[in-house]
Amino acid sequence: MHVSTRWLADYVDLPPVAELAAMLSLSGLEVGSARTVGVEPISGVRIEDPGPVWDREKIVIGRVVSVDRHPDADKLKLPRVAYGSGREMALVTGAPNIAPGESGQWCVLALSGAKVIDGHSKEKVLKELKPTTIRGVPSEAMLCSAYELGLSDDHEGLLFLDSGTAPEGTPASEALGDVVLEIDILPNMARCLALTGLAREVAALTGGRVREPDTSIPSGTSPCPVKVAIEAPDACRRYMGLVIEGFTGGVSNERVRRLLALSGMRPISAAVDITNFVMLEQGQPLHAFDLDKLEARAGGKPVEITVRFARPGETLKTLDGQDRALASDMLVIADAIGPVALAGVMGGADTEVDGSTRRVFLESAQFDAVAIRRASRAFNLFSEASTRYTRGVSPVLAAHGLGRAARLFLERGAASVSQVADCHLVPEYPREVRYDWAAARRLAGCDIPPERVRPILSALEFEVTGEDPRGLTLRLPWHRLDIQEGLPDIVEDVVRLYGYGNLTPRLPSEAPPPPRANPR
């Protein structure tokens, strides 16, 4: 999993990156390598892909003051850029996403002597900017694309930042620089496939506090026009959704696109980017359907969405354009006409959102890990969504993900959201585990003082609901699906956070058995 430390810092205070990497590795989240973007390589961490280091004095945040036409070339423009302390710089650019008469865009300005990736080379090689004259006009700086800065592979145009990213003249390394950690997430740590889950681990290790974003579902203005039902309760414990009206589409803001790219995902459109952003942040896969396309399929009748297994002879054209013959053990999302998505794996092409989408039906669900794994393997379709589903997603998380995404759609300019359609056949009840002191001591192989155990359990969000001389009764957090064996799993957590280095080594108390001859 690629983890932007700049993004992770939104949810929890972080120690220095090298210290963070060592701390995570010792707690069961191995940091295999890191990628630096705009900053110096970190000592103590293996740098797999060092990006360009942005000179603090020569690569800075700027603001376009004006753009004039080039007197001798139709495709060239002459922007004037302010970059702090009253300084301005005129330069020449041929970028297609800036035009004469425009102003106000926030950008990254590279001055003469700065080193950036050569946008005209097939290989990622650094070049040093030097003063030049282009068609008779001097140019001693350049406006950068995301590709030239090493932020992403996008070099179709200049990188324009969100307003308020940083003041004019701020070093770009300070405003945008990042270290992306490559973390090996084992199946028993699947909760850390979300930035918020990883933040909980960091908070438990450092004694910090997690800053959770608002995931409550906003109040709907009208009943949801889509009816939902589950016909395969063993493979889907919860399916919910709501309708977003008046969505204007377009592209996401720069920060969302940048964080998705650094996390290894390609930005696509505002609607799809919101679902991917929430999946990476919360760990809940989502899917957006074009409601107008669903209604067209319904032929004037109310849209009814059902979670069921595929029927004999059914096919589905998925988002990659492939027509797929479905087996009867594959879980699908279907309307009255037939399947519209392969549950937890990939959506259908007939109902995908596009640039003309204005009404979205947003899906959030819990699907059975085995059912999703079976379909993924059958079609060799492995996605970020299927990875999370095959490692376990809580039905509680479905509501968190839906609420977070709905709020982001509203922030992005959607007019309203409907009330929620929620099919939750078996409500969730808190699970409890007995933490017996003597049994925990046997499992750990050492005696960890109770006064050390209690803070660890609290940091991991276990709630003590009962206590006596022999032990504690603990209520498990909703997000700890990995706790299957009860006490042994919790003792493993306690030892992990107590620190393996704090365990006292000792030899077995009994003598070893006498050797026995083995002639064979």
Side-chain angles (χ1 to χ4, degrees), residues 228-240 307-308 331 333 343 364-369 371-372 389 392-398 422-431 478 480-481 484:
V228 301
I230 299 173
E231 289 185 4
D234 291 339
C236 177
R237 291 163 60 188
R238 190 177 197 180
Y239 188 92
M240 58 195 310
V307 186
R308 59 172 174 81
L331 193 67
I333 312 301
S364 186
Q366 184 275 338
F367 298 125
D368 175 64
I372 304 306
Y389 275 128
V393 170
S394 168
V396 176
L397 186 58
D422 188 1
C423 187
H424 195 185
L425 301 182
V426 182
E428 306 304 307
Y429 296 101
R431 296 180 297 154
W478 62 265
R480 292 304 302 271
L481 302 184
Q484 302 292 327

mmCIF file of all heavy atoms in Angstrom, residues 228-240 307-308 331 333 343 364-369 371-372 389 392-398 422-431 478 480-481 484:
data_model
loop_
_atom_site.group_PDB
_atom_site.id
_atom_site.type_symbol
_atom_site.label_atom_id
_atom_site.label_comp_id
_atom_site.label_asym_id
_atom_site.label_seq_id
_atom_site.Cartn_x
_atom_site.Cartn_y
_atom_site.Cartn_z
ATOM 1 N N VAL A 228 -33.858 -0.996 -2.718
ATOM 2 C CA VAL A 228 -32.768 -1.972 -2.652
ATOM 3 C C VAL A 228 -33.223 -3.210 -1.881
ATOM 4 O O VAL A 228 -34.049 -3.122 -0.966
ATOM 5 C CB VAL A 228 -31.505 -1.370 -1.994
ATOM 6 C CG1 VAL A 228 -31.023 -0.158 -2.774
ATOM 7 C CG2 VAL A 228 -31.758 -0.995 -0.552
ATOM 8 N N ALA A 229 -32.698 -4.362 -2.295
ATOM 9 C CA ALA A 229 -33.046 -5.626 -1.648
ATOM 10 C C ALA A 229 -31.864 -6.573 -1.743
ATOM 11 O O ALA A 229 -31.010 -6.456 -2.636
ATOM 12 C CB ALA A 229 -34.278 -6.250 -2.307
ATOM 13 N N ILE A 230 -31.811 -7.519 -0.830
ATOM 14 C CA ILE A 230 -30.752 -8.532 -0.803
ATOM 15 C C ILE A 230 -31.394 -9.908 -0.911
ATOM 16 O O ILE A 230 -32.219 -10.293 -0.081
ATOM 17 C CB ILE A 230 -29.920 -8.449 0.490
ATOM 18 C CG1 ILE A 230 -29.231 -7.082 0.597
ATOM 19 C CG2 ILE A 230 -28.882 -9.567 0.539
ATOM 20 C CD1 ILE A 230 -28.527 -6.859 1.927
ATOM 21 N N GLU A 231 -31.036 -10.647 -1.961
ATOM 22 C CA GLU A 231 -31.529 -12.013 -2.124
ATOM 23 C C GLU A 231 -30.473 -13.040 -1.749
ATOM 24 O O GLU A 231 -30.759 -14.241 -1.757
ATOM 25 C CB GLU A 231 -31.964 -12.238 -3.576
ATOM 26 C CG GLU A 231 -33.236 -11.495 -3.963
ATOM 27 C CD GLU A 231 -33.694 -11.836 -5.382
ATOM 28 O OE1 GLU A 231 -33.051 -12.719 -6.011
ATOM 29 O OE2 GLU A 231 -34.674 -11.235 -5.849
ATOM 30 N N ALA A 232 -29.261 -12.590 -1.430
ATOM 31 C CA ALA A 232 -28.169 -13.494 -1.050
ATOM 32 C C ALA A 232 -27.624 -13.047 0.301
ATOM 33 O O ALA A 232 -26.515 -12.503 0.380
ATOM 34 C CB ALA A 232 -27.083 -13.486 -2.114
ATOM 35 N N PRO A 233 -28.384 -13.256 1.387
ATOM 36 C CA PRO A 233 -27.967 -12.733 2.694
ATOM 37 C C PRO A 233 -26.660 -13.324 3.211
ATOM 38 O O PRO A 233 -25.981 -12.689 4.014
ATOM 39 C CB PRO A 233 -29.147 -13.091 3.606
ATOM 40 C CG PRO A 233 -29.841 -14.222 2.918
ATOM 41 C CD PRO A 233 -29.674 -13.974 1.456
ATOM 42 N N ASP A 234 -26.299 -14.521 2.767
ATOM 43 C CA ASP A 234 -25.029 -15.099 3.209
ATOM 44 C C ASP A 234 -23.831 -14.417 2.554
ATOM 45 O O ASP A 234 -22.705 -14.515 3.054
ATOM 46 C CB ASP A 234 -24.990 -16.592 2.896
ATOM 47 C CG ASP A 234 -25.977 -17.381 3.749
ATOM 48 O OD1 ASP A 234 -26.375 -16.860 4.812
ATOM 49 O OD2 ASP A 234 -26.364 -18.487 3.346
ATOM 50 N N ALA A 235 -24.059 -13.735 1.430
ATOM 51 C CA ALA A 235 -22.967 -13.100 0.698
ATOM 52 C C ALA A 235 -22.999 -11.580 0.788
ATOM 53 O O ALA A 235 -22.065 -10.912 0.342
ATOM 54 C CB ALA A 235 -22.999 -13.518 -0.772
ATOM 55 N N CYS A 236 -24.064 -11.029 1.354
ATOM 56 C CA CYS A 236 -24.172 -9.579 1.503
ATOM 57 C C CYS A 236 -24.993 -9.287 2.749
ATOM 58 O O CYS A 236 -26.190 -9.560 2.787
ATOM 59 C CB CYS A 236 -24.830 -8.949 0.277
ATOM 60 S SG CYS A 236 -25.079 -7.163 0.415
ATOM 61 N N ARG A 237 -24.332 -8.769 3.765
ATOM 62 C CA ARG A 237 -25.029 -8.488 5.027
ATOM 63 C C ARG A 237 -25.650 -7.104 5.055
ATOM 64 O O ARG A 237 -26.564 -6.848 5.848
ATOM 65 C CB ARG A 237 -24.060 -8.656 6.194
ATOM 66 C CG ARG A 237 -23.650 -10.113 6.412
ATOM 67 C CD ARG A 237 -22.406 -10.228 7.264
ATOM 68 N NE ARG A 237 -22.567 -9.643 8.579
ATOM 69 C CZ ARG A 237 -21.567 -9.492 9.447
ATOM 70 N NH1 ARG A 237 -20.360 -9.888 9.116
ATOM 71 N NH2 ARG A 237 -21.783 -8.952 10.632
ATOM 72 N N ARG A 238 -25.159 -6.192 4.193
ATOM 73 C CA ARG A 238 -25.730 -4.843 4.171
ATOM 74 C C ARG A 238 -25.508 -4.220 2.808
ATOM 75 O O ARG A 238 -24.416 -4.286 2.246
ATOM 76 C CB ARG A 238 -25.094 -3.967 5.256
ATOM 77 C CG ARG A 238 -25.808 -2.623 5.445
ATOM 78 C CD ARG A 238 -25.197 -1.828 6.575
ATOM 79 N NE ARG A 238 -26.091 -0.760 7.024
ATOM 80 C CZ ARG A 238 -25.799 0.098 8.001
ATOM 81 N NH1 ARG A 238 -24.626 0.018 8.624
ATOM 82 N NH2 ARG A 238 -26.662 1.031 8.358
ATOM 83 N N TYR A 239 -26.569 -3.591 2.298
ATOM 84 C CA TYR A 239 -26.475 -2.851 1.040
ATOM 85 C C TYR A 239 -27.247 -1.555 1.222
ATOM 86 O O TYR A 239 -28.418 -1.568 1.610
ATOM 87 C CB TYR A 239 -27.060 -3.645 -0.123
ATOM 88 C CG TYR A 239 -26.820 -2.994 -1.474
ATOM 89 C CD1 TYR A 239 -25.709 -3.310 -2.235
ATOM 90 C CD2 TYR A 239 -27.714 -2.044 -1.984
ATOM 91 C CE1 TYR A 239 -25.463 -2.708 -3.464
ATOM 92 C CE2 TYR A 239 -27.478 -1.437 -3.206
ATOM 93 C CZ TYR A 239 -26.360 -1.775 -3.940
ATOM 94 O OH TYR A 239 -26.126 -1.174 -5.155
ATOM 95 N N MET A 240 -26.584 -0.448 0.968
ATOM 96 C CA MET A 240 -27.221 0.844 1.168
ATOM 97 C C MET A 240 -26.795 1.812 0.071
ATOM 98 O O MET A 240 -25.775 1.620 -0.596
ATOM 99 C CB MET A 240 -26.889 1.404 2.558
ATOM 100 C CG MET A 240 -25.420 1.577 2.837
ATOM 101 S SD MET A 240 -25.035 1.826 4.607
ATOM 102 C CE MET A 240 -26.156 3.132 5.074
ATOM 103 N N VAL A 307 -29.252 -7.399 -4.782
ATOM 104 C CA VAL A 307 -27.986 -8.118 -4.658
ATOM 105 C C VAL A 307 -28.316 -9.605 -4.685
ATOM 106 O O VAL A 307 -29.025 -10.109 -3.820
ATOM 107 C CB VAL A 307 -27.247 -7.756 -3.356
ATOM 108 C CG1 VAL A 307 -25.874 -8.418 -3.331
ATOM 109 C CG2 VAL A 307 -27.110 -6.250 -3.208
ATOM 110 N N ARG A 308 -27.811 -10.303 -5.679
ATOM 111 C CA ARG A 308 -28.124 -11.726 -5.844
ATOM 112 C C ARG A 308 -26.990 -12.412 -6.584
ATOM 113 O O ARG A 308 -26.043 -11.761 -7.055
ATOM 114 C CB ARG A 308 -29.425 -11.895 -6.628
ATOM 115 C CG ARG A 308 -29.416 -11.282 -8.025
ATOM 116 C CD ARG A 308 -30.657 -11.654 -8.794
ATOM 117 N NE ARG A 308 -30.773 -10.986 -10.086
ATOM 118 C CZ ARG A 308 -30.167 -11.362 -11.207
ATOM 119 N NH1 ARG A 308 -29.324 -12.405 -11.191
ATOM 120 N NH2 ARG A 308 -30.361 -10.706 -12.346
ATOM 121 N N LEU A 331 -21.547 -13.113 -7.374
ATOM 122 C CA LEU A 331 -22.466 -12.140 -6.787
ATOM 123 C C LEU A 331 -22.555 -10.925 -7.700
ATOM 124 O O LEU A 331 -21.531 -10.376 -8.123
ATOM 125 C CB LEU A 331 -21.971 -11.736 -5.400
ATOM 126 C CG LEU A 331 -22.944 -10.973 -4.506
ATOM 127 C CD1 LEU A 331 -24.115 -11.863 -4.112
ATOM 128 C CD2 LEU A 331 -22.229 -10.463 -3.260
ATOM 129 N N ILE A 333 -24.854 -7.121 -8.764
ATOM 130 C CA ILE A 333 -25.839 -6.079 -8.483
ATOM 131 C C ILE A 333 -26.717 -6.014 -9.718
ATOM 132 O O ILE A 333 -26.207 -5.833 -10.829
ATOM 133 C CB ILE A 333 -25.171 -4.712 -8.229
ATOM 134 C CG1 ILE A 333 -24.000 -4.846 -7.242
ATOM 135 C CG2 ILE A 333 -26.190 -3.701 -7.742
ATOM 136 C CD1 ILE A 333 -24.382 -5.405 -5.892
ATOM 137 N N ALA A 343 -20.427 -7.511 -8.201
ATOM 138 C CA ALA A 343 -20.330 -6.985 -6.835
ATOM 139 C C ALA A 343 -18.901 -6.996 -6.315
ATOM 140 O O ALA A 343 -18.221 -8.013 -6.343
ATOM 141 C CB ALA A 343 -21.226 -7.787 -5.901
ATOM 142 N N SER A 364 -22.974 1.685 -1.277
ATOM 143 C CA SER A 364 -22.006 1.301 -0.247
ATOM 144 C C SER A 364 -22.509 0.009 0.373
ATOM 145 O O SER A 364 -23.683 -0.081 0.757
ATOM 146 C CB SER A 364 -21.895 2.398 0.812
ATOM 147 O OG SER A 364 -20.874 2.096 1.741
ATOM 148 N N ALA A 365 -21.640 -0.998 0.475
ATOM 149 C CA ALA A 365 -22.132 -2.317 0.892
ATOM 150 C C ALA A 365 -21.049 -3.133 1.568
ATOM 151 O O ALA A 365 -19.860 -2.801 1.529
ATOM 152 C CB ALA A 365 -22.663 -3.081 -0.327
ATOM 153 N N GLN A 366 -21.500 -4.209 2.203
ATOM 154 C CA GLN A 366 -20.603 -5.229 2.733
ATOM 155 C C GLN A 366 -20.849 -6.497 1.931
ATOM 156 O O GLN A 366 -21.994 -6.946 1.796
ATOM 157 C CB GLN A 366 -20.880 -5.493 4.219
ATOM 158 C CG GLN A 366 -19.927 -6.470 4.881
ATOM 159 C CD GLN A 366 -20.316 -7.943 4.691
ATOM 160 O OE1 GLN A 366 -21.480 -8.251 4.425
ATOM 161 N NE2 GLN A 366 -19.355 -8.834 4.835
ATOM 162 N N PHE A 367 -19.783 -7.053 1.355
ATOM 163 C CA PHE A 367 -19.894 -8.285 0.584
ATOM 164 C C PHE A 367 -19.008 -9.355 1.202
ATOM 165 O O PHE A 367 -17.976 -9.056 1.801
ATOM 166 C CB PHE A 367 -19.477 -8.063 -0.874
ATOM 167 C CG PHE A 367 -20.333 -7.077 -1.620
ATOM 168 C CD1 PHE A 367 -19.758 -5.978 -2.254
ATOM 169 C CD2 PHE A 367 -21.700 -7.237 -1.695
ATOM 170 C CE1 PHE A 367 -20.537 -5.073 -2.947
ATOM 171 C CE2 PHE A 367 -22.496 -6.326 -2.387
ATOM 172 C CZ PHE A 367 -21.911 -5.237 -3.008
ATOM 173 N N ASP A 368 -19.401 -10.603 1.019
ATOM 174 C CA ASP A 368 -18.647 -11.737 1.557
ATOM 175 C C ASP A 368 -17.292 -11.861 0.869
ATOM 176 O O ASP A 368 -17.192 -11.793 -0.363
ATOM 177 C CB ASP A 368 -19.457 -13.022 1.362
ATOM 178 C CG ASP A 368 -18.688 -14.253 1.789
ATOM 179 O OD1 ASP A 368 -18.377 -14.368 2.987
ATOM 180 O OD2 ASP A 368 -18.392 -15.096 0.919
ATOM 181 N N ALA A 369 -16.265 -12.044 1.674
ATOM 182 C CA ALA A 369 -14.898 -12.097 1.143
ATOM 183 C C ALA A 369 -14.712 -13.251 0.155
ATOM 184 O O ALA A 369 -14.075 -13.090 -0.893
ATOM 185 C CB ALA A 369 -13.895 -12.223 2.297
ATOM 186 N N ALA A 371 -16.963 -14.802 -1.753
ATOM 187 C CA ALA A 371 -17.675 -14.567 -3.011
ATOM 188 C C ALA A 371 -16.916 -13.594 -3.907
ATOM 189 O O ALA A 371 -16.816 -13.784 -5.125
ATOM 190 C CB ALA A 371 -19.078 -14.035 -2.717
ATOM 191 N N ILE A 372 -16.355 -12.546 -3.315
ATOM 192 C CA ILE A 372 -15.609 -11.566 -4.109
ATOM 193 C C ILE A 372 -14.314 -12.174 -4.621
ATOM 194 O O ILE A 372 -13.927 -11.969 -5.776
ATOM 195 C CB ILE A 372 -15.319 -10.302 -3.270
ATOM 196 C CG1 ILE A 372 -16.620 -9.712 -2.729
ATOM 197 C CG2 ILE A 372 -14.561 -9.281 -4.104
ATOM 198 C CD1 ILE A 372 -17.672 -9.432 -3.758
ATOM 199 N N TYR A 389 -12.379 -5.956 0.016
ATOM 200 C CA TYR A 389 -13.493 -6.866 0.300
ATOM 201 C C TYR A 389 -12.998 -8.275 0.645
ATOM 202 O O TYR A 389 -13.555 -8.939 1.517
ATOM 203 C CB TYR A 389 -14.441 -6.927 -0.894
ATOM 204 C CG TYR A 389 -15.474 -5.824 -0.904
ATOM 205 C CD1 TYR A 389 -15.643 -5.026 -2.024
ATOM 206 C CD2 TYR A 389 -16.289 -5.589 0.199
ATOM 207 C CE1 TYR A 389 -16.602 -4.015 -2.039
ATOM 208 C CE2 TYR A 389 -17.239 -4.579 0.191
ATOM 209 C CZ TYR A 389 -17.391 -3.800 -0.929
ATOM 210 O OH TYR A 389 -18.327 -2.801 -0.945
ATOM 211 N N GLY A 392 -11.987 -8.363 4.226
ATOM 212 C CA GLY A 392 -13.007 -8.108 5.235
ATOM 213 C C GLY A 392 -13.369 -6.651 5.391
ATOM 214 O O GLY A 392 -12.497 -5.820 5.654
ATOM 215 N N VAL A 393 -14.640 -6.332 5.189
ATOM 216 C CA VAL A 393 -15.170 -4.984 5.386
ATOM 217 C C VAL A 393 -16.374 -5.084 6.314
ATOM 218 O O VAL A 393 -17.260 -5.909 6.093
ATOM 219 C CB VAL A 393 -15.575 -4.340 4.035
ATOM 220 C CG1 VAL A 393 -16.345 -3.048 4.260
ATOM 221 C CG2 VAL A 393 -14.343 -4.078 3.181
ATOM 222 N N SER A 394 -16.426 -4.272 7.345
ATOM 223 C CA SER A 394 -17.508 -4.310 8.318
ATOM 224 C C SER A 394 -18.769 -3.665 7.758
ATOM 225 O O SER A 394 -18.697 -2.635 7.069
ATOM 226 C CB SER A 394 -17.090 -3.576 9.598
ATOM 227 O OG SER A 394 -18.210 -3.360 10.437
ATOM 228 N N PRO A 395 -19.955 -4.225 8.048
ATOM 229 C CA PRO A 395 -21.206 -3.557 7.671
ATOM 230 C C PRO A 395 -21.328 -2.159 8.279
ATOM 231 O O PRO A 395 -21.981 -1.295 7.703
ATOM 232 C CB PRO A 395 -22.284 -4.499 8.218
ATOM 233 C CG PRO A 395 -21.632 -5.843 8.281
ATOM 234 C CD PRO A 395 -20.200 -5.565 8.652
ATOM 235 N N VAL A 396 -20.699 -1.946 9.435
ATOM 236 C CA VAL A 396 -20.730 -0.613 10.046
ATOM 237 C C VAL A 396 -20.009 0.387 9.154
ATOM 238 O O VAL A 396 -20.424 1.552 9.018
ATOM 239 C CB VAL A 396 -20.091 -0.656 11.456
ATOM 240 C CG1 VAL A 396 -20.025 0.745 12.068
ATOM 241 C CG2 VAL A 396 -20.875 -1.587 12.365
ATOM 242 N N LEU A 397 -18.930 -0.062 8.516
ATOM 243 C CA LEU A 397 -18.132 0.834 7.680
ATOM 244 C C LEU A 397 -18.915 1.318 6.468
ATOM 245 O O LEU A 397 -18.642 2.398 5.941
ATOM 246 C CB LEU A 397 -16.851 0.126 7.239
ATOM 247 C CG LEU A 397 -15.820 0.967 6.472
ATOM 248 C CD1 LEU A 397 -15.380 2.172 7.285
ATOM 249 C CD2 LEU A 397 -14.618 0.108 6.085
ATOM 250 N N ALA A 398 -19.889 0.528 6.011
ATOM 251 C CA ALA A 398 -20.677 0.938 4.848
ATOM 252 C C ALA A 398 -21.345 2.290 5.089
ATOM 253 O O ALA A 398 -21.377 3.151 4.201
ATOM 254 C CB ALA A 398 -21.718 -0.126 4.520
ATOM 255 N N ASP A 422 -31.521 1.543 2.853
ATOM 256 C CA ASP A 422 -30.622 0.698 3.639
ATOM 257 C C ASP A 422 -31.258 -0.658 3.896
ATOM 258 O O ASP A 422 -32.273 -0.761 4.579
ATOM 259 C CB ASP A 422 -30.304 1.385 4.965
ATOM 260 C CG ASP A 422 -29.226 0.664 5.774
ATOM 261 O OD1 ASP A 422 -28.711 -0.357 5.285
ATOM 262 O OD2 ASP A 422 -28.908 1.122 6.886
ATOM 263 N N CYS A 423 -30.673 -1.696 3.312
ATOM 264 C CA CYS A 423 -31.117 -3.069 3.563
ATOM 265 C C CYS A 423 -30.053 -3.739 4.431
ATOM 266 O O CYS A 423 -28.964 -4.057 3.964
ATOM 267 C CB CYS A 423 -31.305 -3.830 2.248
ATOM 268 S SG CYS A 423 -32.053 -5.463 2.439
ATOM 269 N N HIS A 424 -30.379 -3.911 5.699
ATOM 270 C CA HIS A 424 -29.448 -4.457 6.684
ATOM 271 C C HIS A 424 -30.167 -5.594 7.393
ATOM 272 O O HIS A 424 -30.854 -5.396 8.390
ATOM 273 C CB HIS A 424 -29.038 -3.359 7.666
ATOM 274 C CG HIS A 424 -27.843 -3.695 8.499
ATOM 275 N ND1 HIS A 424 -27.368 -2.895 9.506
ATOM 276 C CD2 HIS A 424 -26.993 -4.757 8.460
ATOM 277 C CE1 HIS A 424 -26.305 -3.445 10.054
ATOM 278 N NE2 HIS A 424 -26.056 -4.571 9.442
ATOM 279 N N LEU A 425 -30.022 -6.797 6.846
ATOM 280 C CA LEU A 425 -30.846 -7.916 7.288
ATOM 281 C C LEU A 425 -30.500 -8.370 8.699
ATOM 282 O O LEU A 425 -31.389 -8.751 9.471
ATOM 283 C CB LEU A 425 -30.697 -9.087 6.309
ATOM 284 C CG LEU A 425 -31.097 -8.791 4.852
ATOM 285 C CD1 LEU A 425 -30.942 -10.033 4.006
ATOM 286 C CD2 LEU A 425 -32.525 -8.274 4.788
ATOM 287 N N VAL A 426 -29.236 -8.352 9.052
ATOM 288 C CA VAL A 426 -28.815 -8.805 10.385
ATOM 289 C C VAL A 426 -28.033 -7.673 11.042
ATOM 290 O O VAL A 426 -26.871 -7.453 10.719
ATOM 291 C CB VAL A 426 -27.939 -10.074 10.302
ATOM 292 C CG1 VAL A 426 -27.565 -10.543 11.706
ATOM 293 C CG2 VAL A 426 -28.665 -11.178 9.548
ATOM 294 N N PRO A 427 -28.653 -6.923 11.950
ATOM 295 C CA PRO A 427 -27.953 -5.811 12.610
ATOM 296 C C PRO A 427 -26.707 -6.288 13.352
ATOM 297 O O PRO A 427 -26.615 -7.445 13.786
ATOM 298 C CB PRO A 427 -29.005 -5.259 13.579
ATOM 299 C CG PRO A 427 -30.319 -5.714 13.025
ATOM 300 C CD PRO A 427 -30.042 -7.043 12.381
ATOM 301 N N GLU A 428 -25.756 -5.371 13.484
ATOM 302 C CA GLU A 428 -24.512 -5.692 14.168
ATOM 303 C C GLU A 428 -24.648 -5.456 15.671
ATOM 304 O O GLU A 428 -25.254 -4.481 16.109
ATOM 305 C CB GLU A 428 -23.379 -4.807 13.634
ATOM 306 C CG GLU A 428 -23.216 -4.857 12.130
ATOM 307 C CD GLU A 428 -23.005 -6.265 11.614
ATOM 308 O OE1 GLU A 428 -22.103 -6.948 12.122
ATOM 309 O OE2 GLU A 428 -23.752 -6.678 10.706
ATOM 310 N N TYR A 429 -24.094 -6.366 16.442
ATOM 311 C CA TYR A 429 -24.093 -6.225 17.902
ATOM 312 C C TYR A 429 -22.641 -6.248 18.378
ATOM 313 O O TYR A 429 -21.812 -6.983 17.842
ATOM 314 C CB TYR A 429 -24.881 -7.352 18.567
ATOM 315 C CG TYR A 429 -26.346 -7.335 18.215
ATOM 316 C CD1 TYR A 429 -26.860 -8.202 17.248
ATOM 317 C CD2 TYR A 429 -27.214 -6.443 18.837
ATOM 318 C CE1 TYR A 429 -28.207 -8.181 16.913
ATOM 319 C CE2 TYR A 429 -28.570 -6.414 18.510
ATOM 320 C CZ TYR A 429 -29.052 -7.286 17.546
ATOM 321 O OH TYR A 429 -30.377 -7.243 17.219
ATOM 322 N N PRO A 430 -22.310 -5.448 19.381
ATOM 323 C CA PRO A 430 -20.920 -5.427 19.878
ATOM 324 C C PRO A 430 -20.491 -6.801 20.381
ATOM 325 O O PRO A 430 -21.267 -7.512 21.042
ATOM 326 C CB PRO A 430 -20.969 -4.405 21.020
ATOM 327 C CG PRO A 430 -22.180 -3.574 20.755
ATOM 328 C CD PRO A 430 -23.164 -4.486 20.094
ATOM 329 N N ARG A 431 -19.260 -7.173 20.064
ATOM 330 C CA ARG A 431 -18.712 -8.436 20.548
ATOM 331 C C ARG A 431 -17.890 -8.183 21.810
ATOM 332 O O ARG A 431 -17.251 -7.144 21.947
ATOM 333 C CB ARG A 431 -17.825 -9.080 19.480
ATOM 334 C CG ARG A 431 -18.568 -9.475 18.213
ATOM 335 C CD ARG A 431 -17.618 -10.111 17.213
ATOM 336 N NE ARG A 431 -16.588 -9.172 16.781
ATOM 337 C CZ ARG A 431 -15.387 -9.530 16.340
ATOM 338 N NH1 ARG A 431 -15.040 -10.806 16.318
ATOM 339 N NH2 ARG A 431 -14.513 -8.617 15.952
ATOM 340 N N TRP A 478 -15.686 -1.868 16.451
ATOM 341 C CA TRP A 478 -16.389 -2.398 15.286
ATOM 342 C C TRP A 478 -15.442 -2.731 14.132
ATOM 343 O O TRP A 478 -15.753 -3.595 13.291
ATOM 344 C CB TRP A 478 -17.445 -1.397 14.805
ATOM 345 C CG TRP A 478 -16.885 -0.069 14.359
ATOM 346 C CD1 TRP A 478 -16.762 1.067 15.097
ATOM 347 C CD2 TRP A 478 -16.352 0.246 13.068
ATOM 348 N NE1 TRP A 478 -16.184 2.068 14.359
ATOM 349 C CE2 TRP A 478 -15.932 1.600 13.104
ATOM 350 C CE3 TRP A 478 -16.196 -0.471 11.879
ATOM 351 C CZ2 TRP A 478 -15.364 2.236 12.003
ATOM 352 C CZ3 TRP A 478 -15.625 0.163 10.786
ATOM 353 C CH2 TRP A 478 -15.225 1.503 10.851
ATOM 354 N N ARG A 480 -12.465 -4.126 14.259
ATOM 355 C CA ARG A 480 -11.498 -5.195 14.498
ATOM 356 C C ARG A 480 -12.055 -6.546 14.053
ATOM 357 O O ARG A 480 -12.301 -7.449 14.854
ATOM 358 C CB ARG A 480 -11.084 -5.196 15.957
ATOM 359 C CG ARG A 480 -10.264 -3.998 16.384
ATOM 360 C CD ARG A 480 -9.012 -3.822 15.523
ATOM 361 N NE ARG A 480 -8.158 -4.985 15.554
ATOM 362 C CZ ARG A 480 -7.197 -5.178 16.436
ATOM 363 N NH1 ARG A 480 -6.944 -4.250 17.350
ATOM 364 N NH2 ARG A 480 -6.473 -6.267 16.401
ATOM 365 N N LEU A 481 -12.258 -6.688 12.743
ATOM 366 C CA LEU A 481 -12.751 -7.954 12.198
ATOM 367 C C LEU A 481 -11.702 -9.054 12.288
ATOM 368 O O LEU A 481 -12.032 -10.235 12.180
ATOM 369 C CB LEU A 481 -13.159 -7.767 10.725
ATOM 370 C CG LEU A 481 -14.218 -6.711 10.420
ATOM 371 C CD1 LEU A 481 -14.571 -6.739 8.944
ATOM 372 C CD2 LEU A 481 -15.464 -6.931 11.260
ATOM 373 N N GLN A 484 -10.567 -13.097 15.649
ATOM 374 C CA GLN A 484 -11.393 -14.294 15.464
ATOM 375 C C GLN A 484 -11.242 -15.278 16.622
ATOM 376 O O GLN A 484 -12.176 -15.985 16.967
ATOM 377 C CB GLN A 484 -11.014 -14.982 14.150
ATOM 378 C CG GLN A 484 -11.175 -14.094 12.919
ATOM 379 C CD GLN A 484 -12.618 -13.778 12.610
ATOM 380 O OE1 GLN A 484 -13.504 -14.600 12.841
ATOM 381 N NE2 GLN A 484 -12.874 -12.592 12.098
#
